[in-house]
Amino acid sequence: MSNYKTAYSYNAENGEYLGEAKAWESPLEPGVYHLPAGATYTTPPAHGEHEAARWNTITGAWELVPDYRGEIYWNKSTREKVEIKELGITPAPELTDIEPTDHEAEWNGTTWEIPLAVCRKRKLNEVKTAFNAYVAGSITTTQGYKMQFGESDSLKLEGSIKLMEAQGIAVAYLTDAGDDTHYDIPLATIKAVQLEMLAAYGAAHARKQQLRAQVEAAADKATLDTIVITWEAE
């Protein structure tokens, strides 16, 4: 026959059930058992998921309380990450266990969703970035020169043309996109080159405005996704 009784230990601070303990029989007083501190003879109840048994020192009984410790949630309004660290706390209604995958996503009542306005803004930024990259490139003119055709490039060449006209210069040099210099180019040819540069930039700018209009007119994200950013006019 065992010389102890089974007892059940609990945490002195929060009452959480810790496990079985032994209340040993006194060697001097047969039939008398010494109950360890922070223990009871009352059997704790079985608990389910996200539950824990806690000893209530006021009622002198076990109670089942929520146990979400270690669980991660996110605030539906602020997207702030929240970890539950204490026993007895149930996740508040303003929290969700679904992690937002985008820093601008908003809670739509069921899940996280990127607002249409945010998607539209991002698409417009894509158009702007693509336009800047495109006009930073070059075109090959009908005269066979590969030229950068950004707005500043055309303006620089326009300034050179005006200076040539003012000084009565009939031929000059032309530096292409590869930084190669071509000499003895007639003024008329340089003017033609500059006009093609202006035309290419103007067409790119018009296409940019066309794309921007499509983005602004999109009524939903599915329509936004169908807009392909290319520089071929539609």
Side-chain angles (χ1 to χ4, degrees):
M1 186 173 179
S2 62
N3 58 345
Y4 67 85
K5 287 185 177 181
T6 299
Y8 304 93
S9 296
Y10 53 84
N11 187 295
E13 293 184 0
N14 61 10
E16 179 186 6
Y17 172 57
L18 298 178
E20 291 186 359
K22 294 179 179 179
W24 293 97
E25 183 179 19
S26 171
L28 301 177
E29 300 176 273
V32 175
Y33 295 84
H34 297 295
L35 182 66
T40 176
Y41 290 122
T42 305
T43 305
H47 60 82
E49 184 180 12
H50 295 310
E51 284 186 332
R54 181 172 67 184
W55 181 255
N56 189 319
T57 56
I58 297 176
T59 62
W62 292 106
E63 58 187 6
L64 289 177
V65 295
D67 185 9
Y68 288 84
R69 288 172 298 179
E71 297 293 327
I72 304 297
Y73 296 87
W74 289 266
N75 188 291
K76 297 175 184 177
S77 298
T78 65
R79 295 181 293 274
E80 180 185 2
K81 185 177 180 180
V82 177
E83 179 182 356
I84 295 181
K85 299 180 179 180
E86 297 181 14
L87 184 67
I89 295 179
T90 301
E94 64 266 21
L95 299 179
T96 175
D97 61 356
I98 302 175
E99 181 179 3
T101 57
D102 190 283
H103 72 283
E104 291 184 287
E106 295 182 0
W107 185 255
N108 66 7
T110 304
T111 189
W112 296 101
E113 182 179 26
I114 304 173
L116 177 59
V118 173
C119 293
R120 181 179 288 114
K121 180 180 177 182
R122 291 179 180 181
K123 196 76 172 184
L124 288 173
N125 284 334
E126 288 180 33
V127 171
K128 180 181 178 181
T129 300
F131 170 77
N132 289 338
Y134 179 70
V135 298
S138 61
I139 60 167
T140 301
T141 68
T142 55
Q143 296 80 17
Y145 300 109
K146 188 174 183 180
M147 303 295 296
Q148 290 181 300
F149 65 102
E151 187 174 25
S152 62
D153 300 302
S154 295
L155 290 174
K156 288 177 183 178
L157 191 54
E158 181 180 352
S160 297
I161 291 171
K162 289 182 178 179
L163 181 61
M164 290 171 64
E165 291 176 332
Q167 296 179 348
I169 299 174
V171 295
Y173 66 87
L174 189 65
T175 302
D176 64 19
D179 207 29
D180 291 326
T181 301
H182 306 272
Y183 296 95
D184 300 323
I185 309 300
L187 176 58
T189 300
I190 296 176
K191 284 184 176 181
V193 168
Q194 197 246 354
L195 285 175
E196 289 190 33
M197 291 166 60
L198 286 172
Y201 181 84
H205 189 273
R207 174 59 176 158
K208 180 182 74 169
Q209 296 305 106
Q210 183 185 48
L211 288 169
R212 286 182 58 87
Q214 291 177 7
V215 172
E216 294 288 1
D220 50 53
K221 288 185 283 187
T223 304
L224 276 178
D225 290 338
T226 64
I227 299 174
V228 181
I229 302 175
T230 65
W231 299 106
E232 297 297 327
E234 296 178 354

